[in-house]
Every structure is written in structure tokens, then in C-alpha cells.
């Protein structure tokens, strides 16, 4: 893969998708910074996992370690205060009357991109990398490519600078995301993402299953375990 000799900012939550995106960015750009958001998530485990995963990638991939720059954590507590969702309040995981999951945090991805772009303004990067995916998940309207393209157009106009958003997982299934991790970093990266990332909506991080940590029952765990099973099946 040809390296782009510029810096990228990766929206890095500590989950499977953003962990794979971090590896993709490290393979693609010659310098990479990571960006996390504290928005009043009910579970702190994600924030712990992101540092653990960064360090594992750094120690296992020397070429990438040279490219991995600062980590930034941006406080968006106000978003948690105005969001009544299963990720920010004690709301049961389910589906609203309008068909959207209760895990949907309204405005979240749009706000994340604005803040990432504003950070990039100061840090001197205009490439953003994020794990949004419209192929295999949930109907979150802010993961749609059309939403993101439109948002990035507004950001580029509003900051008077050409920003690019890269979403390497956009049209991949969850099994496809594991394939991409394997292509980028072999079994070592697959194992880091499997054992170091956190995706479970309930914040359960006590037992390591074949597909990773989690409760095994929430929609995120169901999707993750199903994707892992498909990935393993493909290899037989
Ligand atoms: Zn779960």
C-alpha cells in the first residue's frame, strides 16, 4: 500500500472497528494521531481499552510505532447530559417506535467529526479516519455514507480547508473487518483487536470469549460474535 506522506487523525474509541481503522491509518499515512471522546458513556472500560490497544499495537509493530503520535481525549460531557440513550443513561436496550435503536446517540458522529476537524486545524491534519459502516449494522443514520459526505462538505466549507474522511469499513461486513485486520497486521493484529478491544454495550469485560470480551447478549456482542464466526468459517 502506498503511504500518504501526511498526518491523519483517527476517531479511536477502543472498539473492534476503530482498532482496525487505527491499523489501516498506520499503514496508509506517515503519521497518525488518535482521538477519543468522553461523552458520558456509562462504562469506562472503553477508555481503558483504547490505551491498552494503542500500546499493544506500538509494541508489536515497530514500523507503525514510529508513525503513532499523540493521543487526544476530548470532553463532550454535554452530549451525555442531553442524550437519553442506552449508552448514556439507564435505558433498556431496545428499539424506539421510530425504528431506531435506543443505543443511537443523536448527533454523536456529527459532533465527533466537528471536534476532530477543529483539533486537526490546530494540529495540522486534514485527513480523518473513522469506523462508520453502513453495510452490517443497525441503521444508525449518522453512519450512512451520504450523511458523512454531506457533513464533511460542511466542515470543509466552514473551516475553509479541504478535509477528507476515510471510512475503510464502510461497505465491509463484520467478518470483512476481521479480514481487513488480518491483511493489515496478520494474526498478531487480529489477536490484539480480539483480546484488547471492547464493543459490548453493557460494559461487560470479565470473560474472554472466542470473539472477544462482552456480555454475549447485547446487539453489539451478537453482531461481533456472529462476525467472528463467519470469519473463522471462511478460513476452514
Ligand atoms: Zn454485550
Amino acid at each position: 500500500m502506498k503511504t500518504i506522506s501526511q498526518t491523519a487523525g483517527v476517531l479511536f474509541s477502543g472498539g473492534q472497528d476503530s482498532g482496525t481503522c487505527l491499523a489501516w491509518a498506520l499503514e496508509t499515512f506517515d503519521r497518525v494521531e488518535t482521538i477519543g471522546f468522553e461523552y458520558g458513556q456509562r462504562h469506562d472500560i472503553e477508555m481503558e481499552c483504547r490505551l491498552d490497544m494503542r500500546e499493544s499495537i506500538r509494541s508489536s509493530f515497530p514500523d507503525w510505532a514510529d508513525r503513532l503520535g499523540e493521543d487526544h481525549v476530548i470532553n463532550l460531557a454535554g452530549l451525555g447530559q442531553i442524550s437519553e440513550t442506552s449508552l448514556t443513561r439507564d435505558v433498556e436496550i431496545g428499539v424506539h417506535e421510530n425504528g431506531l435503536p435506543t443505543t443511537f446517540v443523536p448527533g454523536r458522529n456529527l459532533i465527533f467529526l466537528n471536534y476532530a476537524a477543529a483539533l486537526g486545524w490546530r494540529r495540522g491534519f486534514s485527513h480523518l479516519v473513522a469506523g462508520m459502516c453502513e453495510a452490517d449494522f443497525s441503521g444508525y443514520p449518522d453512519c450512512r455514507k451520504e450523511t458523512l459526505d454531506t457533513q464533511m462538505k460542511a466542515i470543509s466549507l466552514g473551516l475553509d480547508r479541504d478535509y477528507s474522511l476515510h471510512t475503510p469499513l464502510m461497505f465491509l461486513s463484520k467478518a470483512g473487518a476481521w479480514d481487513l485486520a488480518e491483511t493489515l497486521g496478520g494474526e498478531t493484529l487480529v489477536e490484539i483487536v480480539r483480546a484488547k478491544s471492547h464493543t459490548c454495550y453493557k460494559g461487560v469485560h470479565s470473560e474472554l470469549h472466542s470473539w472477544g470480551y462482552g456480555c454475549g447478549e447485547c446487539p453489539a456482542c451478537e453482531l461481533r460474535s456472529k462476525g467472528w464466526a463467519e470469519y473463522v468459517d471462511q478460513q476452514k
Side-chain angles (χ1 to χ4, degrees):
M1 201 184 296
K2 188 172 174 292
T3 304
I4 300 174
S5 53
Q6 289 184 40
T7 300
V10 181
L11 278 65
F12 181 56
S13 69
Q16 176 191 345
D17 292 345
S18 67
T20 306
C21 284
L22 173 56
W24 182 87
L26 288 164
E27 186 68 20
T28 306
F29 292 90
D30 69 358
R31 187 176 163 79
V32 172
E33 301 188 1
T34 49
I35 310 164
F37 297 95
E38 296 254 33
Y39 59 93
Q41 299 96 316
R42 291 174 61 210
H43 311 295
D44 288 340
I45 187 72
E46 288 176 29
M47 298 308 277
E48 292 171 26
C49 284
R50 56 192 299 288
L51 292 178
D52 200 12
M53 204 170 3
R54 257 182 68 102
E55 279 318 302
S56 297
I57 286 174
R58 188 198 292 277
S59 59
S60 301
F61 297 95
D63 290 351
W64 291 352
D66 291 342
R67 300 173 174 193
L68 183 57
E70 280 87 340
D71 180 48
H72 309 274
V73 175
I74 299 174
N75 186 331
L76 296 178
L79 181 61
Q81 285 166 13
I82 60 171
S83 303
E84 184 143 348
T85 77
S86 300
L87 300 191
T88 53
R89 302 267 175 96
D90 188 14
V91 171
E92 195 166 335
I93 295 175
V95 179
H96 289 295
E97 280 177 14
N98 64 7
L100 281 174
T102 58
T103 50
F104 173 61
V105 181
R108 180 176 58 175
N109 283 345
L110 302 178
I111 292 165
F112 284 2
L113 289 172
N114 276 327
Y115 272 82
L119 178 70
W121 177 272
R122 171 165 69 82
R123 299 289 302 166
F125 59 80
S126 54
H127 289 280
L128 304 178
V129 180
M132 292 85 164
C133 167
E134 73 170 31
D136 200 12
F137 191 36
S138 72
Y140 286 180
D142 59 352
C143 289
R144 284 187 297 216
K145 188 167 186 310
E146 185 183 1
T147 303
L148 300 170
D149 287 348
T150 308
Q151 170 83 349
M152 293 313 296
K153 185 175 180 189
I155 287 174
S156 292
L157 284 170
L159 279 76
D160 198 22
R161 179 183 289 184
D162 274 334
Y163 279 87
S164 303
L165 175 66
H166 306 264
T167 51
L169 308 184
M170 180 57 76
F171 301 111
L172 295 182
S173 65
K174 286 288 173 194
W178 287 115
D179 281 334
L180 177 61
E182 188 183 326
T183 303
L184 290 165
E187 285 179 18
T188 304
L189 182 65
V190 170
E191 180 56 19
I192 289 172
V193 175
R194 186 187 79 90
K196 302 285 182 183
S197 68
H198 179 91
T199 319
C200 175
Y201 285 150
K202 293 187 171 174
V204 174
H205 202 79
S206 48
E207 187 187 346
L208 182 59
H209 306 272
S210 59
W211 44 268
Y213 285 100
C215 72
E217 290 166 0
C218 75
C221 284
E222 277 182 19
L223 198 68
R224 180 160 167 161
S225 59
K226 186 167 150 278
W228 176 262
E230 285 172 19
Y231 166 69
V232 171
D233 273 351
Q234 286 167 15
Q235 296 183 316
K236 286 177 185 165

